[in-house]
Amino acid sequence: MKVLVAVKRVVDYNVKVRVKSDNTGVDIANVKMSMNPFDEIAVEEAVRLKEKGIATEIIAVSCGVTQCQETLRTAMAIGADRAILVETAEELQPLAVAKLLKALVDKEQPGLIILGKQAIDDDCNQTGQMLAALADLPQVTCASKIEVADGKATIAREIDGGLETLSVTLPAVMTADLRLNEPRYVTLPNIMKAKKKTLEVIKAEDLGVNVSPRIQTLKVTEPPKRSAGIKVPDVATLVAKLKNEAKVI
C-alpha cells in the first residue's frame, strides 16, 4: 500500500510570532521555519505503518516556495521514501492545497492519505476535509489511533464525550491529532540518507490547478495585552469587583 503524506512549512512552534507594522500579516523574515507539528505526527504514523509491513512506500508532499524542500528532507529523514514539491510563489489557501493534492492523488493512486489535522500558522483545519470531498474518498479527522487490515482502516478519534471508533474502506483520507503518536528524533545518519532520496519538483500550473487566493486578509492584529493583577484587602471587595467591574457574577 502506498501512503501519501502532506507536510507544511510553518514558523517553528518555539518562535514568538510578530505582526507586521502595517498589520497585513505575520513577519517571517529571518524567522526559524520547520515542519508543522501535526504533519510530523502524520509522517511518523506513515513510517510506523511501513515498519509493520502494511505500507510499501511513503511519499511526502509539500506545496509552496522552494524552501519547502528543507521540510521535505526532514520528512524523508523521518522515514519517507521520496518527496514531491509543488512549487508556487502564490499565497496558498486550503482549497488550493486540496486541489493540488487531489491532482497528486489521481497521479500516485495512494491507498491512504494522511495530513495533520491543522497547521499552526492559519489554524484552518480544512485541507483534509476539502481533499476528501474533491477526491470523493471516505475521511476520518482528528485521529488518535489507527489500525489497517484487510483493505480497511479502523480509526479512533477524540470527541467531547470520549472516543469514537470508525471503520473506513481504503483508499481514504485521515487527519492526525496530537495523541496519535510521538514523532521520533531525527538522527544525523538519517538526515544524510535523506539527501540521497528522490525529491521531485513540479510547478502548480503543470497540474492544471488555479491556486489564486480566494480570500483576502484584511487585517492581522496581536491579542490585547493582559493588564496587571491587583490585590484586594478582603473578600467583600473581591466580590464587589467581580460583580461590578468584571461582571462575572
Side-chain angles (χ1 to χ4, degrees):
M1 181 180 73
K2 192 184 289 186
V3 180
L4 189 144
V5 186
V7 298
K8 186 178 183 182
R9 178 177 180 262
V10 299
V11 174
D12 189 87
Y13 69 93
N14 288 311
V15 174
K16 189 180 186 317
V17 295
R18 301 186 305 272
V19 175
K20 291 180 180 177
S21 56
D22 58 1
N23 296 117
T24 56
V26 173
D27 186 8
I28 60 170
N30 301 316
V31 170
K32 183 185 177 185
M33 308 292 281
S34 61
M35 188 189 302
N36 178 46
F38 290 103
D39 297 343
E40 202 170 350
I41 293 168
V43 176
E44 173 67 26
E45 191 62 27
V47 174
R48 292 188 185 190
L49 288 173
K50 188 177 181 185
E51 289 173 344
K52 291 176 184 175
I54 297 168
T56 54
E57 184 183 27
I58 301 167
I59 309 161
V61 177
S62 191
C63 306
V65 294
T66 307
Q67 290 88 333
C68 291
Q69 291 187 30
E70 299 167 15
T71 308
L72 289 170
R73 291 291 178 196
T74 302
M76 288 191 285
I78 294 172
D81 297 298
R82 60 187 174 95
I84 302 171
L85 170 61
V86 182
E87 194 174 44
T88 176
E90 287 276 9
E91 177 200 347
L92 290 175
Q93 293 171 351
L95 182 57
V97 176
K99 287 180 177 179
L100 292 171
L101 292 176
K102 160 67 165 57
L104 291 176
V105 167
D106 291 343
K107 177 184 175 185
E108 297 289 344
Q109 295 293 308
L112 182 63
I113 304 104
I114 311 178
L115 306 87
K117 73 167 184 176
Q118 65 195 80
I120 60 171
D121 52 1
D122 56 22
D123 267 341
C124 282
N125 189 1
Q126 297 173 343
T127 307
Q129 294 89 320
M130 289 177 170
L131 172 60
L134 290 170
D136 194 24
L137 294 173
Q139 63 164 318
V140 178
T141 59
C142 306
S144 59
K145 185 178 179 182
I146 174 172
E147 293 178 0
V148 179
D150 303 323
K152 290 190 175 182
T154 304
I155 301 170
R157 60 191 301 270
E158 294 184 4
I159 56 174
D160 289 343
L163 288 176
E164 178 182 49
T165 303
L166 301 173
S167 177
V168 292
T169 304
L170 300 178
V173 177
M174 186 194 88
T175 66
D177 206 347
L178 265 179
R179 291 174 186 81
L180 181 60
N181 61 54
E182 186 174 338
R184 67 195 67 192
Y185 179 76
V186 180
T187 61
L188 183 59
N190 286 337
I191 292 172
M192 301 307 292
K193 288 176 185 175
K195 292 182 179 180
K196 297 179 182 178
K197 292 181 179 179
T198 305
L199 198 162
E200 181 185 358
V201 180
I202 56 179
K203 299 291 183 184
E205 49 267 26
D206 294 340
L207 295 175
V209 177
N210 179 12
V211 295
S212 301
R214 293 169 176 250
I215 301 170
Q216 181 185 0
T217 302
L218 299 179
K219 191 177 183 182
V220 176
T221 56
E222 289 188 17
K225 288 183 170 57
R226 293 179 63 179
S227 55
I230 59 170
K231 291 183 179 180
V232 293
D234 50 45
V235 175
T237 309
L238 173 63
V239 172
K241 285 187 174 292
L242 289 174
K243 185 176 182 180
N244 301 322
E245 294 181 22
K247 299 189 186 300
V248 293
I249 60 173

